[in-house]
Amino acid sequence: MIDTHEKKLNPRHFYNTIIDHAPDAIMVFDLDLRLVRLNDQACRQFGYEREVLLGRKASELNLEMAPTRMDDYFQALLEHRQVLLETSITRNGQHIQLEVKANLIELDGHTFIVAFSRDVSEHRQIEQKLVDERMLVNALMEHLPDIIFFKDLEGRWLRVSRKLLDDLHVSDMSEIIGKTDFDFYPEEFARHTRQDEQEIIRTGRPLIGKIEYRQLNMVGSVWTMVTKVPLKNSEGEIIGIAGISRDIDEIKEREEHLRIKENQLSIASQIAGLGYWEYHTEEGLFTFNDHFYQVLGTTARENGGYKMKPGTFAHRFVHPADRQQVIDEMKAAQINTQLDYPRQLEHRIIYPDGSIGHVAVSFFVVRDDQGVTLKTFGVSQNITDRKIAEKAIHESEAQLSMAAKIAKLGYWEFDSKERLFTFNDQFYTIFKTSASELGSYRISLDEYADKFLLPEEKPMVFTKIESAILHLKDKEHYYLEHRIRHGNGEIGYLAVRFFVIRDRSGELVKLIGVNQDITELKMAKQALQQTEAGLQKAFEVAVVGPYKLIFQENRIEWSAMALAVYGFNKDRIPATIKSYLTMVHPEDVWILQNAMKRKPGEDVSDLEHRILINGQIKWVRSRSHYEFDEYGTSLSAIGVVQDITAAKQAESELINYRQHLEHLVQQRTAQLEVINKDLEAFAYSISHDLRAPIRHINGFANLLSKRLFDPDDGKQELIQLINEASTRMGDMIDGLLNFSRLGRQKLDTTLIDLNQLVAEVIQYFAPDQLKRNIRWTVHPLPSVKGDYTLLKVVFENLISNAIKYTRNEKNTEIEINTFAADPKKRTIYIRDNGVGFDMDYANKLFGVFQRLHGTEEFEGTGIGLANALQIIKKHGGDIRAEGKVGEGATFYVSF
């Protein structure tokens, strides 16, 4: 038996199918540049039907290209047999940029031009997008209000924000990268800083919100709030420190002012930022000191004294969302029986001006010997600035993370001793792969080159890296651009910036760099260059002319190309909108009048109309962009005009041609109805006229059998042969009659469960399976739409054949299954291990009265498979067979 994949394909059908389903427009021109073949995508791309485009020359396809430019490309194509160009078209008022690749091919002794066209309009927007993103990233990194820094395990700076450079009065990043705090700060400050960072590296615990007095060598000092966290690699190992620092000079000045005032108050108020209060349980009243009111931004006088009920306090000062929390804490303190009950909480407050602040409250309960609550003592501290600082740190960290994502930067390090790269996840994202796919975050230089570099780029990259390693200038900055191969095989462009890090002795430590994918930018620049080169010629190629309407001045400004499109006489060029309207076809004037009434939001118009020039009617298409003043009044319209007379004429001819075809179809339908009636009469004649002599033969043979007295001389056998032949002829006539009726029978389509249908057919042939060892393998079958009665005939024929042609097998195997050979179709196959057949005669299987086995061996009329084929074709499908003599057969039904 021959496998499915070994069947012969029709090459012409195969390649036509590929062309018709290709995502790009495919066009075939002869050497006169006339279009002789195109696919459906080309029709959609140009916005016309196939009949309109076939036979047109390339210069008539509305390509925005000058004839001289097209001639240059044609000559280049003849010389090099391949050319790549870019042009554009306007379709439905939309400007579409095309990339066209043309090749010369030889076919049957003739030379043709095959052009592949692709819409690349979206690439025009890429460059601006990249520019905008780069500006945003630069703004974030240059103007963040906080210092952001990264250090290695030795405390050397790896990267810092612009704020630190400004504070240190350093003009260039290279002057600070690789140095430590000891190079810019006093030794004592630098030593404490180093101790803090070593503790973070040792324990892995971050340092949050530490207040430092940062004194700079020769350039002043400042109070800062600093947060530092361990910097880890992909394996979770600490490889350095990341930190953020914010200047809090103003906050420290306020704290100092408060401290001075609190020294003049009670001992409790001497604690920075604390306001003292008591709650007397028996009285049910709070007592506050002056500093408590200062914490709340008010005074005792404004609140009627130093005593206040809890409800009044909560209503005036506690944020509504936090009131229940404060009430619950106070109640818990009153009912708790612990002798000492210290508690702490934080909540929001409302200042008298309505703004929101934060306080931290610490309090404890005093009870007598019987456990009765006497008083609750507490202090409240304004922590609004701290909360603001915490929020600022969080926002700054989020900004830094966002900046890296926006910039699409991939970070890497190169260890020159081990000659190993270490990458982060974003690096792999740029290369459209991942560390898990490559098995590690560390790879060698040679492995990196083999996986990601094009062969011709390797020397340049290797030379740059080796030069950086050997160069003795400390912290030199390097930049290069080169092509890369993405993980999916696509080619891209990469921008690389890196630094050389050396120790104090000048010995190389590592290379540190970032990569940025600039593929879209490169492609956008290339597209922009090609577009600018051809833009000047675009109007000439497309035969499009620009113009401008100035409504308030009732004036039209014409370009030379626009005048050429219209073909105005020099003495009849309309200078005003009103004079132009007099030349428009009377039935189309309203189209222009409505267009000139457009309002803001209706900025673009695209319309077609007729115009009378030199006594002839010309069709033109104009597309305009309207400009409005602040009051919504139309000021002007800038647009282009195109002569579409030829297209309109072709459209009219196409309509006439379609009407002619419809008339021909009606005539042919009437003729077919007459032929069908004649066929019905013919079929009846076959059925009636041929049956009569057959019945006579049967009758006379039976009479002869009864009158013969000697049964031993072979006469009875001859008579039996006559009966069998006449019976067979009658069966053949019945089969032929059924076959002729199938072509006219209408389908009664329903949804059919093939599992149920096949089960009924197998049960129908149960008598034929008696005394047979048949093993049925029936897999789950799909439901299909079709005529139940007719499809049952198909499966009766196929299953009957499988049973019949396996009768000589001791153990019969019959399998029924399905598979999806085509996404749009389902295929059911019936496979047996019977006598099979020779594939050289497979084309006879489905012919009327065609048999590959004699009737003396296997009964049948030879018309069953012909009926099955006709039924399946009525369902839009097909039947084919595969077999091998002595090894069984497989019949495939697709629909």
Side-chain angles (χ1 to χ4, degrees), residues 102-125:
N103 298 270
L104 282 182
I105 65 170
E106 303 291 335
L107 184 64
D108 296 333
H110 298 282
T111 301
F112 295 91
I113 301 171
V114 179
F116 301 84
S117 175
R118 174 175 295 180
D119 184 350
V120 294
S121 302
E122 293 181 0
H123 289 244
R124 302 179 66 109
Q125 303 172 7

PDB file of all heavy atoms in Angstrom, residues 102-125:
ATOM      1  N   ALA A 102      11.725  42.914  -7.721  1.00  0.00           N
ATOM      2  CA  ALA A 102      11.426  42.394  -9.056  1.00  0.00           C
ATOM      3  C   ALA A 102      12.564  41.480  -9.517  1.00  0.00           C
ATOM      4  O   ALA A 102      13.742  41.750  -9.263  1.00  0.00           O
ATOM      5  CB  ALA A 102      11.231  43.542 -10.049  1.00  0.00           C
ATOM      6  N   ASN A 103      12.189  40.371 -10.193  1.00  0.00           N
ATOM      7  CA  ASN A 103      13.153  39.406 -10.709  1.00  0.00           C
ATOM      8  C   ASN A 103      12.786  39.041 -12.141  1.00  0.00           C
ATOM      9  O   ASN A 103      11.601  38.991 -12.500  1.00  0.00           O
ATOM     10  CB  ASN A 103      13.165  38.122  -9.866  1.00  0.00           C
ATOM     11  CG  ASN A 103      13.566  38.379  -8.446  1.00  0.00           C
ATOM     12  OD1 ASN A 103      14.728  38.335  -8.110  1.00  0.00           O
ATOM     13  ND2 ASN A 103      12.582  38.686  -7.607  1.00  0.00           N
ATOM     14  N   LEU A 104      13.803  38.748 -12.946  1.00  0.00           N
ATOM     15  CA  LEU A 104      13.596  38.206 -14.291  1.00  0.00           C
ATOM     16  C   LEU A 104      13.581  36.687 -14.212  1.00  0.00           C
ATOM     17  O   LEU A 104      14.415  36.072 -13.540  1.00  0.00           O
ATOM     18  CB  LEU A 104      14.729  38.645 -15.231  1.00  0.00           C
ATOM     19  CG  LEU A 104      14.671  40.073 -15.783  1.00  0.00           C
ATOM     20  CD1 LEU A 104      15.833  40.295 -16.717  1.00  0.00           C
ATOM     21  CD2 LEU A 104      13.371  40.341 -16.501  1.00  0.00           C
ATOM     22  N   ILE A 105      12.585  36.049 -14.877  1.00  0.00           N
ATOM     23  CA  ILE A 105      12.529  34.589 -14.915  1.00  0.00           C
ATOM     24  C   ILE A 105      12.305  34.149 -16.352  1.00  0.00           C
ATOM     25  O   ILE A 105      11.749  34.876 -17.177  1.00  0.00           O
ATOM     26  CB  ILE A 105      11.408  34.042 -14.013  1.00  0.00           C
ATOM     27  CG1 ILE A 105      10.019  34.485 -14.533  1.00  0.00           C
ATOM     28  CG2 ILE A 105      11.592  34.465 -12.575  1.00  0.00           C
ATOM     29  CD1 ILE A 105       8.877  33.787 -13.853  1.00  0.00           C
ATOM     30  N   GLU A 106      12.767  32.943 -16.661  1.00  0.00           N
ATOM     31  CA  GLU A 106      12.595  32.349 -17.983  1.00  0.00           C
ATOM     32  C   GLU A 106      11.581  31.221 -17.853  1.00  0.00           C
ATOM     33  O   GLU A 106      11.701  30.345 -16.988  1.00  0.00           O
ATOM     34  CB  GLU A 106      13.928  31.791 -18.494  1.00  0.00           C
ATOM     35  CG  GLU A 106      15.053  32.820 -18.555  1.00  0.00           C
ATOM     36  CD  GLU A 106      14.807  33.872 -19.638  1.00  0.00           C
ATOM     37  OE1 GLU A 106      14.080  33.556 -20.616  1.00  0.00           O
ATOM     38  OE2 GLU A 106      15.322  34.987 -19.500  1.00  0.00           O
ATOM     39  N   LEU A 107      10.594  31.207 -18.734  1.00  0.00           N
ATOM     40  CA  LEU A 107       9.554  30.183 -18.671  1.00  0.00           C
ATOM     41  C   LEU A 107       9.101  29.858 -20.089  1.00  0.00           C
ATOM     42  O   LEU A 107       8.608  30.736 -20.809  1.00  0.00           O
ATOM     43  CB  LEU A 107       8.362  30.675 -17.829  1.00  0.00           C
ATOM     44  CG  LEU A 107       7.248  29.664 -17.603  1.00  0.00           C
ATOM     45  CD1 LEU A 107       7.781  28.466 -16.791  1.00  0.00           C
ATOM     46  CD2 LEU A 107       6.088  30.307 -16.851  1.00  0.00           C
ATOM     47  N   ASP A 108       9.295  28.580 -20.479  1.00  0.00           N
ATOM     48  CA  ASP A 108       8.874  28.105 -21.810  1.00  0.00           C
ATOM     49  C   ASP A 108       9.439  28.993 -22.912  1.00  0.00           C
ATOM     50  O   ASP A 108       8.765  29.335 -23.883  1.00  0.00           O
ATOM     51  CB  ASP A 108       7.344  28.057 -21.890  1.00  0.00           C
ATOM     52  CG  ASP A 108       6.763  27.063 -20.915  1.00  0.00           C
ATOM     53  OD1 ASP A 108       7.466  26.093 -20.560  1.00  0.00           O
ATOM     54  OD2 ASP A 108       5.604  27.251 -20.506  1.00  0.00           O
ATOM     55  N   GLY A 109      10.702  29.399 -22.776  1.00  0.00           N
ATOM     56  CA  GLY A 109      11.342  30.195 -23.818  1.00  0.00           C
ATOM     57  C   GLY A 109      10.978  31.664 -23.793  1.00  0.00           C
ATOM     58  O   GLY A 109      11.386  32.416 -24.677  1.00  0.00           O
ATOM     59  N   HIS A 110      10.218  32.102 -22.809  1.00  0.00           N
ATOM     60  CA  HIS A 110       9.829  33.510 -22.710  1.00  0.00           C
ATOM     61  C   HIS A 110      10.399  34.097 -21.417  1.00  0.00           C
ATOM     62  O   HIS A 110      10.604  33.384 -20.433  1.00  0.00           O
ATOM     63  CB  HIS A 110       8.300  33.659 -22.719  1.00  0.00           C
ATOM     64  CG  HIS A 110       7.658  33.170 -23.997  1.00  0.00           C
ATOM     65  ND1 HIS A 110       7.649  33.900 -25.169  1.00  0.00           N
ATOM     66  CD2 HIS A 110       7.025  31.991 -24.255  1.00  0.00           C
ATOM     67  CE1 HIS A 110       7.030  33.207 -26.107  1.00  0.00           C
ATOM     68  NE2 HIS A 110       6.641  32.034 -25.571  1.00  0.00           N
ATOM     69  N   THR A 111      10.609  35.402 -21.437  1.00  0.00           N
ATOM     70  CA  THR A 111      11.136  36.104 -20.263  1.00  0.00           C
ATOM     71  C   THR A 111      10.023  36.935 -19.628  1.00  0.00           C
ATOM     72  O   THR A 111       9.319  37.674 -20.315  1.00  0.00           O
ATOM     73  CB  THR A 111      12.292  37.036 -20.660  1.00  0.00           C
ATOM     74  OG1 THR A 111      13.319  36.249 -21.276  1.00  0.00           O
ATOM     75  CG2 THR A 111      12.858  37.725 -19.415  1.00  0.00           C
ATOM     76  N   PHE A 112       9.870  36.790 -18.332  1.00  0.00           N
ATOM     77  CA  PHE A 112       8.853  37.538 -17.589  1.00  0.00           C
ATOM     78  C   PHE A 112       9.508  38.235 -16.406  1.00  0.00           C
ATOM     79  O   PHE A 112      10.609  37.887 -15.979  1.00  0.00           O
ATOM     80  CB  PHE A 112       7.748  36.596 -17.065  1.00  0.00           C
ATOM     81  CG  PHE A 112       6.946  35.931 -18.158  1.00  0.00           C
ATOM     82  CD1 PHE A 112       7.337  34.690 -18.652  1.00  0.00           C
ATOM     83  CD2 PHE A 112       5.826  36.558 -18.684  1.00  0.00           C
ATOM     84  CE1 PHE A 112       6.594  34.080 -19.641  1.00  0.00           C
ATOM     85  CE2 PHE A 112       5.087  35.947 -19.673  1.00  0.00           C
ATOM     86  CZ  PHE A 112       5.479  34.695 -20.167  1.00  0.00           C
ATOM     87  N   ILE A 113       8.779  39.219 -15.890  1.00  0.00           N
ATOM     88  CA  ILE A 113       9.201  39.940 -14.684  1.00  0.00           C
ATOM     89  C   ILE A 113       8.216  39.581 -13.571  1.00  0.00           C
ATOM     90  O   ILE A 113       7.012  39.775 -13.718  1.00  0.00           O
ATOM     91  CB  ILE A 113       9.193  41.460 -14.910  1.00  0.00           C
ATOM     92  CG1 ILE A 113      10.139  41.832 -16.061  1.00  0.00           C
ATOM     93  CG2 ILE A 113       9.583  42.182 -13.624  1.00  0.00           C
ATOM     94  CD1 ILE A 113      10.025  43.281 -16.480  1.00  0.00           C
ATOM     95  N   VAL A 114       8.737  39.026 -12.491  1.00  0.00           N
ATOM     96  CA  VAL A 114       7.908  38.710 -11.331  1.00  0.00           C
ATOM     97  C   VAL A 114       8.216  39.741 -10.244  1.00  0.00           C
ATOM     98  O   VAL A 114       9.363  39.903  -9.845  1.00  0.00           O
ATOM     99  CB  VAL A 114       8.202  37.286 -10.812  1.00  0.00           C
ATOM    100  CG1 VAL A 114       7.339  37.009  -9.576  1.00  0.00           C
ATOM    101  CG2 VAL A 114       7.907  36.259 -11.889  1.00  0.00           C
ATOM    102  N   ALA A 115       7.182  40.433  -9.811  1.00  0.00           N
ATOM    103  CA  ALA A 115       7.343  41.486  -8.803  1.00  0.00           C
ATOM    104  C   ALA A 115       6.594  41.099  -7.537  1.00  0.00           C
ATOM    105  O   ALA A 115       5.441  40.683  -7.589  1.00  0.00           O
ATOM    106  CB  ALA A 115       6.818  42.826  -9.331  1.00  0.00           C
ATOM    107  N   PHE A 116       7.276  41.231  -6.385  1.00  0.00           N
ATOM    108  CA  PHE A 116       6.674  40.980  -5.077  1.00  0.00           C
ATOM    109  C   PHE A 116       6.548  42.327  -4.367  1.00  0.00           C
ATOM    110  O   PHE A 116       7.546  43.021  -4.156  1.00  0.00           O
ATOM    111  CB  PHE A 116       7.540  40.040  -4.238  1.00  0.00           C
ATOM    112  CG  PHE A 116       7.776  38.695  -4.887  1.00  0.00           C
ATOM    113  CD1 PHE A 116       8.790  38.514  -5.812  1.00  0.00           C
ATOM    114  CD2 PHE A 116       6.967  37.618  -4.582  1.00  0.00           C
ATOM    115  CE1 PHE A 116       9.004  37.285  -6.409  1.00  0.00           C
ATOM    116  CE2 PHE A 116       7.168  36.391  -5.174  1.00  0.00           C
ATOM    117  CZ  PHE A 116       8.177  36.212  -6.098  1.00  0.00           C
ATOM    118  N   SER A 117       5.334  42.689  -3.981  1.00  0.00           N
ATOM    119  CA  SER A 117       5.065  44.014  -3.402  1.00  0.00           C
ATOM    120  C   SER A 117       4.536  43.848  -1.990  1.00  0.00           C
ATOM    121  O   SER A 117       3.638  43.046  -1.751  1.00  0.00           O
ATOM    122  CB  SER A 117       4.051  44.768  -4.277  1.00  0.00           C
ATOM    123  OG  SER A 117       3.704  45.989  -3.673  1.00  0.00           O
ATOM    124  N   ARG A 118       5.081  44.639  -1.063  1.00  0.00           N
ATOM    125  CA  ARG A 118       4.672  44.554   0.344  1.00  0.00           C
ATOM    126  C   ARG A 118       4.394  45.957   0.886  1.00  0.00           C
ATOM    127  O   ARG A 118       5.119  46.895   0.616  1.00  0.00           O
ATOM    128  CB  ARG A 118       5.779  43.895   1.166  1.00  0.00           C
ATOM    129  CG  ARG A 118       5.519  43.880   2.677  1.00  0.00           C
ATOM    130  CD  ARG A 118       6.575  43.108   3.408  1.00  0.00           C
ATOM    131  NE  ARG A 118       6.538  41.702   3.039  1.00  0.00           N
ATOM    132  CZ  ARG A 118       7.378  40.778   3.535  1.00  0.00           C
ATOM    133  NH1 ARG A 118       8.281  41.126   4.415  1.00  0.00           N
ATOM    134  NH2 ARG A 118       7.291  39.522   3.142  1.00  0.00           N
ATOM    135  N   ASP A 119       3.323  46.068   1.709  1.00  0.00           N
ATOM    136  CA  ASP A 119       2.936  47.333   2.340  1.00  0.00           C
ATOM    137  C   ASP A 119       3.865  47.582   3.536  1.00  0.00           C
ATOM    138  O   ASP A 119       3.885  46.826   4.492  1.00  0.00           O
ATOM    139  CB  ASP A 119       1.476  47.247   2.803  1.00  0.00           C
ATOM    140  CG  ASP A 119       0.983  48.566   3.371  1.00  0.00           C
ATOM    141  OD1 ASP A 119       1.789  49.489   3.591  1.00  0.00           O
ATOM    142  OD2 ASP A 119      -0.226  48.675   3.607  1.00  0.00           O
ATOM    143  N   VAL A 120       4.679  48.663   3.467  1.00  0.00           N
ATOM    144  CA  VAL A 120       5.614  48.989   4.549  1.00  0.00           C
ATOM    145  C   VAL A 120       5.296  50.359   5.150  1.00  0.00           C
ATOM    146  O   VAL A 120       6.185  51.055   5.662  1.00  0.00           O
ATOM    147  CB  VAL A 120       7.074  48.944   4.042  1.00  0.00           C
ATOM    148  CG1 VAL A 120       7.466  47.540   3.661  1.00  0.00           C
ATOM    149  CG2 VAL A 120       7.269  49.887   2.846  1.00  0.00           C
ATOM    150  N   SER A 121       4.033  50.765   5.090  1.00  0.00           N
ATOM    151  CA  SER A 121       3.655  52.105   5.549  1.00  0.00           C
ATOM    152  C   SER A 121       3.974  52.309   7.029  1.00  0.00           C
ATOM    153  O   SER A 121       4.348  53.405   7.448  1.00  0.00           O
ATOM    154  CB  SER A 121       2.159  52.331   5.305  1.00  0.00           C
ATOM    155  OG  SER A 121       1.851  52.181   3.941  1.00  0.00           O
ATOM    156  N   GLU A 122       3.798  51.260   7.842  1.00  0.00           N
ATOM    157  CA  GLU A 122       3.995  51.438   9.277  1.00  0.00           C
ATOM    158  C   GLU A 122       5.434  51.805   9.634  1.00  0.00           C
ATOM    159  O   GLU A 122       5.700  52.412  10.677  1.00  0.00           O
ATOM    160  CB  GLU A 122       3.594  50.153  10.012  1.00  0.00           C
ATOM    161  CG  GLU A 122       2.115  49.842   9.933  1.00  0.00           C
ATOM    162  CD  GLU A 122       1.757  48.575  10.689  1.00  0.00           C
ATOM    163  OE1 GLU A 122       2.665  47.954  11.256  1.00  0.00           O
ATOM    164  OE2 GLU A 122       0.581  48.227  10.681  1.00  0.00           O
ATOM    165  N   HIS A 123       6.395  51.458   8.779  1.00  0.00           N
ATOM    166  CA  HIS A 123       7.797  51.740   9.085  1.00  0.00           C
ATOM    167  C   HIS A 123       8.083  53.237   9.115  1.00  0.00           C
ATOM    168  O   HIS A 123       9.057  53.670   9.738  1.00  0.00           O
ATOM    169  CB  HIS A 123       8.696  51.064   8.050  1.00  0.00           C
ATOM    170  CG  HIS A 123       8.711  49.570   8.195  1.00  0.00           C
ATOM    171  ND1 HIS A 123       9.842  48.865   8.532  1.00  0.00           N
ATOM    172  CD2 HIS A 123       7.732  48.658   8.091  1.00  0.00           C
ATOM    173  CE1 HIS A 123       9.560  47.591   8.595  1.00  0.00           C
ATOM    174  NE2 HIS A 123       8.286  47.438   8.324  1.00  0.00           N
ATOM    175  N   ARG A 124       7.232  54.023   8.456  1.00  0.00           N
ATOM    176  CA  ARG A 124       7.463  55.464   8.443  1.00  0.00           C
ATOM    177  C   ARG A 124       7.270  56.067   9.828  1.00  0.00           C
ATOM    178  O   ARG A 124       7.773  57.147  10.129  1.00  0.00           O
ATOM    179  CB  ARG A 124       6.514  56.132   7.454  1.00  0.00           C
ATOM    180  CG  ARG A 124       6.630  55.628   6.010  1.00  0.00           C
ATOM    181  CD  ARG A 124       5.627  56.356   5.140  1.00  0.00           C
ATOM    182  NE  ARG A 124       5.992  57.755   5.068  1.00  0.00           N
ATOM    183  CZ  ARG A 124       6.485  58.321   3.980  1.00  0.00           C
ATOM    184  NH1 ARG A 124       6.666  57.617   2.908  1.00  0.00           N
ATOM    185  NH2 ARG A 124       6.789  59.592   3.970  1.00  0.00           N
ATOM    186  N   GLN A 125       6.498  55.386  10.675  1.00  0.00           N
ATOM    187  CA  GLN A 125       6.225  55.926  11.998  1.00  0.00           C
ATOM    188  C   GLN A 125       7.276  55.504  13.018  1.00  0.00           C
ATOM    189  O   GLN A 125       7.310  56.024  14.136  1.00  0.00           O
ATOM    190  CB  GLN A 125       4.856  55.414  12.473  1.00  0.00           C
ATOM    191  CG  GLN A 125       3.730  55.758  11.521  1.00  0.00           C
ATOM    192  CD  GLN A 125       2.426  55.084  11.921  1.00  0.00           C
ATOM    193  OE1 GLN A 125       2.333  54.473  12.966  1.00  0.00           O
ATOM    194  NE2 GLN A 125       1.421  55.176  11.081  1.00  0.00           N
TER     195      GLN A 125
END
